[in-house]
Amino acid sequence: GTEVEYIWVSVGGNDAQDQLPGCQLAGGTRDECVQECLDSVLNSTQKFLDPVVAAYPDIKIFQFGYDILNFNQNLECRALGLGLFP
């Protein structure tokens, strides 16, 4: 059968988009909200990668987050920044 050698994982963007605004509106600081989101993403990532590593112990996993956006680049980025960090 075919053996899996590599997995490329890109996670966290939707989590940040979904969690950061509500956390800050509930009174969390930017740092607290980012840490809460990061903890959630890392926990979820571990849950789905643990079985993969158990099945394929020699697998190479590349995990990427998302670039830090330049929220002042243009109107669209400014609006996204205000949405994520009200």
Side-chain angles (χ1 to χ4, degrees):
T2 302
E3 288 295 317
V4 176
E5 294 182 45
Y6 304 97
I7 293 179
W8 177 350
V9 180
S10 180
V11 298
N14 292 345
D15 299 87
Q17 188 174 2
D18 292 344
Q19 293 178 17
L20 292 178
C23 177
Q24 287 197 317
L25 290 173
T29 68
R30 182 179 300 182
D31 289 343
E32 290 169 340
C33 294
V34 168
Q35 188 61 54
E36 182 180 302
C37 182
L38 181 59
D39 291 344
S40 174
V41 169
L42 292 175
N43 184 46
S44 296
T45 302
Q46 185 174 2
K47 284 181 184 176
F48 75 78
L49 286 181
D50 280 352
V52 173
V53 173
Y56 300 96
D58 295 325
I59 196 159
K60 307 292 186 277
I61 300 172
F62 302 91
Q63 183 169 346
F64 299 90
Y66 288 79
D67 291 334
I68 301 298
L69 298 174
N70 178 358
F71 290 122
N72 288 319
Q73 180 176 348
N74 57 42
L75 289 175
E76 182 179 0
C77 290
R78 281 187 213 116
L80 179 59
L82 289 172
L84 292 175
F85 300 107

